[in-house]
Amino acid sequence: QIHHIDHWTRHLGPTNLDNLCLLCSKHHHLVHEGGWTIRRNPDNTNTDTLTRPPFFRAKPRTPT
């Protein structure tokens, strides 16, 4: 899914390649509803940083 790094309605983020990134559905929901943040790296490479909120606790994984 395509995500605006600077949200287009709250921060007037433009719809251009410099402000867009691709996220899977799970991570897109985490950004919008789970308090996660995504930031473009300062060197303007296509590497973005997805950061979980400080209160986040990962669920224990069970081997399959």
Side-chain angles (χ1 to χ4, degrees), residues 14-56:
T15 301
N16 61 34
L17 292 178
D18 291 333
N19 189 43
L20 301 174
C21 65
L22 294 175
L23 296 172
C24 69
S25 179
K26 174 185 175 180
H27 287 99
H28 203 190
H29 286 286
L30 286 173
V31 169
H32 282 283
E33 300 165 10
W36 289 57
T37 58
I38 189 160
R39 297 280 179 250
R40 179 71 26 125
N41 286 339
D43 60 3
N44 272 342
T45 62
N46 285 333
T47 306
D48 302 314
T49 303
L50 184 65
T51 307
R52 66 182 181 204
F55 56 83
F56 178 80

